[in-house]
């Protein structure tokens, strides 16, 4: 079973982005940061999260358009 290049790139970009956001969120929650230092980082986390959500929506739409590869 072989997926096209765009499907593979979509998969890996989302996978790396989600893992990165999870690690960043855990750092914000449990890291030794002062309250004042967290504010700008939380804003960045929120902005990047919205971009990942938009890209994830693109990935789902691409999967629906391109369909599944044959078994």
């Amino acid at each position: 079973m072989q997926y096209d290049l765009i499907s593979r790139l979509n998969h890996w970009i989302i996978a790396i982005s989600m893992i990165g956001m999870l690690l960043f969120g855990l750092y914000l929650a449990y890291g030794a940061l002062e309250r004042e230092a967290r504010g700008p980082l939380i804003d960045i986390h929120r902005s990047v999260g919205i971009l990942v959500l938009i890209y994830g929506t693109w990935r789902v739409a691409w999967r629906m358009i391109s369909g599944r590869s044959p078994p």
Side-chain angles (χ1 to χ4, degrees):
M1 178 154 73
Q2 183 72 24
Y3 290 100
D4 63 344
L5 178 64
I6 294 176
S7 295
R8 289 190 311 243
L9 283 175
N10 282 339
H11 171 80
W12 285 110
I13 289 171
I14 285 295
I16 292 168
S17 299
M18 295 290 283
I19 292 169
M21 288 296 288
L22 176 65
L23 293 174
F24 189 40
L26 288 172
Y27 175 69
L28 288 173
Y30 301 110
L33 294 173
E34 295 181 14
R35 186 174 180 91
E36 294 80 24
R38 282 190 193 148
L41 293 177
I42 288 173
D43 291 339
I44 292 170
H45 180 74
R46 188 176 299 135
S47 299
V48 173
I50 290 170
L51 291 174
V52 170
L53 177 65
I54 292 169
Y55 193 80
T57 304
W58 152 253
R59 182 177 185 258
V60 170
W62 177 259
R63 175 66 187 253
M64 292 173 68
I65 291 168
S66 66
R68 293 179 173 227
S69 63

